[in-house]
Amino acid sequence: MSALENRPVTVIGAGIGGLTAALALARRGAQVTVLERAPELGEVGAGIQISANAVRVLDALGLGTALDGAALRTDAVQLNDERGRRVLRMDLRAHRPEARFLLIHRARLIGLLANAARQAGVTIQLGVTAADTDGLTIAADGLRSTYRAALNGQQVPFFTGQTAWRALIPDPGGAPVAQVFMTARRHLVSYPLPGCLRNIVAVEERPDWQDEGWSHPGDPDRLRAAFAGMGGPVPGWLAQVDHTHLWGLFRHPVAARWHDDRLALLGDAAHPTLPFLAQGAGMAIEDAWTLAACLDVIPDQPQALARYQALRQPRVTRIVDAANANARNYHFGGVIRIGAHSVLRVADRLAPSLMPGRFDWLYDFDPVGQIP
């Protein structure tokens, strides 16, 4: 019998990480309640990339067929210079033909998770503020988590000097490729989404800053002005932007303490990350599976929570560090940029599997096969 059978668990937060945790726990017999302060499910934001490491978890939870119907399968990631010329193409299908990398709207993924969780017996309560609960509490309440502060004290994040813009535009159906356009002190990422949409995230270095979060309204004309020097398809994409949000990018340390005897942190509450490796949601999905697996096979709850942190902390720290490095690499200027792009172009031509292979440690990881 599972150690989770009929155990009461409360999940704080109905985002991707919280709902994945609720589903994973309910599948193992737990009695799960999700508390969400927002009056309805969904997230401000738009597209999200889900890489193979996280897709393996969603498949194991029974969402594979639904995902394939709601997402696009990514063919490649392509790096371009500011004129839109190819620097490097990482062909994901050729390098990992058995692995699925997906492009999906956040709200669609949340809807799939919520429906599956409810079918598994999870109770989702909307428009409620978390209070003291019986049993285990899982804090998936994001980078402003009050539970993280309770375990680790107040921490002041470091502003990176970068501000990100997010927008959605109509797209008649571009190839399922995530494209990055790089120039000095700024870069832009774009990829198509189901429903004839295109997701755009543009990051610039600027002396002022915006608060964290995705809900701050931005000025489309200022976005266009900031990225006016970029070529290729970028000007045409930006011309279609009529609504945008922006937010400041901050570095947070990975939490030193993830749990006490009755509480566990998950996702951004434990390890917020910069968006330059597309792993924020992926890490939360991995967390959810690992936490449920540890609680399933280790009857002593404090020991199970300690094992969860021991398994997850080294990996997420490596991912966060790699995302921090990309924040620098995308924004090289002058001679450094010319040299770096030249090296990448040579690798692209002579060793096309070299760059995808650098991330085997990330994408080939299988949380489902990990033994707690």
Side-chain angles (χ1 to χ4, degrees):
M1 177 183 291
S2 167
L4 279 167
E5 192 69 33
N6 294 320
R7 189 187 306 188
V9 181
T10 301
V11 177
I12 311 299
I16 292 170
L19 290 172
T20 305
L23 178 58
L25 290 160
R27 290 267 195 260
R28 291 167 168 83
Q31 300 298 310
V32 185
T33 300
V34 178
L35 305 181
E36 170 56 53
R37 64 182 179 181
E40 59 185 21
L41 287 179
E43 288 192 30
V44 177
I48 186 171
Q49 301 180 66
I50 303 293
S51 53
N53 45 298
V55 171
R56 293 183 185 101
V57 171
L58 299 176
D59 284 345
L61 291 173
L63 294 176
T65 300
L67 272 176
D68 288 341
L72 298 176
R73 184 174 176 184
T74 315
D75 284 343
V77 176
Q78 182 165 314
L79 306 183
N80 306 286
D81 65 16
E82 69 277 11
R83 297 183 186 179
R85 299 172 302 186
R86 171 172 162 175
V87 174
L88 177 78
R89 182 181 177 93
M90 292 182 282
D91 192 326
L92 300 176
R93 288 208 189 209
H95 186 70
R96 297 178 180 83
E98 77 292 345
R100 296 183 356 269
F101 295 72
L102 303 178
L103 306 170
I104 190 171
H105 197 289
R106 284 177 177 270
R108 189 71 185 276
L109 178 56
I110 286 174
L112 293 178
L113 288 166
N115 289 339
R118 288 188 174 109
Q119 291 172 9
V122 174
T123 299
I124 301 175
Q125 298 181 9
L126 303 177
V128 298
T129 302
D132 291 338
T133 59
D134 295 328
L136 174 63
T137 298
I138 298 173
D141 53 339
L143 57 85
R144 293 191 179 93
S145 172
T146 57
Y147 295 89
R148 172 182 171 127
L151 290 175
N152 295 273
Q154 293 295 332
Q155 296 171 314
V156 179
F158 167 73
F159 177 52
T160 64
Q162 297 175 336
T163 296
W165 309 73
R166 181 182 293 273
L168 270 180
I169 61 170
D171 188 300
V177 174
Q179 296 201 60
V180 183
F181 299 82
M182 306 172 292
T183 190
R185 302 184 63 191
R186 57 181 55 82
H187 78 278
L188 182 145
V189 180
S190 183
Y191 48 84
L193 294 170
C196 295
L197 296 172
R198 174 166 291 277
N199 193 65
I200 296 173
V201 177
V203 179
E204 66 165 326
E205 297 178 13
R206 48 192 280 188
D208 60 337
W209 56 274
Q210 301 290 329
D211 289 339
E212 289 183 286
W214 295 347
S215 60
H216 308 291
D219 181 351
D221 287 333
R222 184 165 182 180
L223 167 61
R224 282 185 279 271
F227 291 83
M230 284 193 170
V234 172
W237 292 340
L238 296 184
Q240 299 182 68
V241 175
D242 58 13
H243 185 74
T244 184
H245 290 86
L246 74 165
W247 74 101
L249 300 181
F250 291 74
R251 287 187 185 176
H252 299 253
V254 174
R257 188 180 180 204
W258 291 29
H259 66 90
D260 60 18
D261 291 349
R262 297 180 59 244
L263 168 69
L265 305 180
L266 184 146
D268 282 350
H271 44 76
T273 184
L274 295 176
F276 303 136
L277 205 56
Q279 287 298 310
M283 286 192 289
I285 291 169
E286 289 185 6
D287 285 353
W289 180 274
T290 303
L291 176 58
C294 289
L295 291 165
D296 187 23
V297 301
I298 303 174
D300 183 88
Q301 183 167 290
Q303 290 183 15
L305 299 181
R307 182 59 177 158
Y308 158 65
Q309 178 173 346
L311 287 172
R312 294 298 301 153
Q313 193 171 36
R315 175 165 168 83
V316 300
T317 299
R318 186 177 182 184
I319 293 172
V320 170
D321 289 345
N324 292 343
N326 275 353
R328 178 187 67 251
N329 297 340
Y330 286 161
H331 289 193
F332 284 146
V335 175
I336 296 177
R337 181 175 83 250
I338 294 171
H341 287 190
S342 296
V343 170
L344 291 176
R345 285 189 169 102
V346 170
D348 186 49
R349 185 172 65 254
L350 300 180
S353 65
L354 178 63
M355 285 300 292
R358 289 185 59 204
F359 293 100
D360 285 349
W361 64 270
L362 175 57
Y363 301 137
D364 289 350
F365 178 69
D366 183 6
V368 178
Q370 189 177 49
I371 300 174

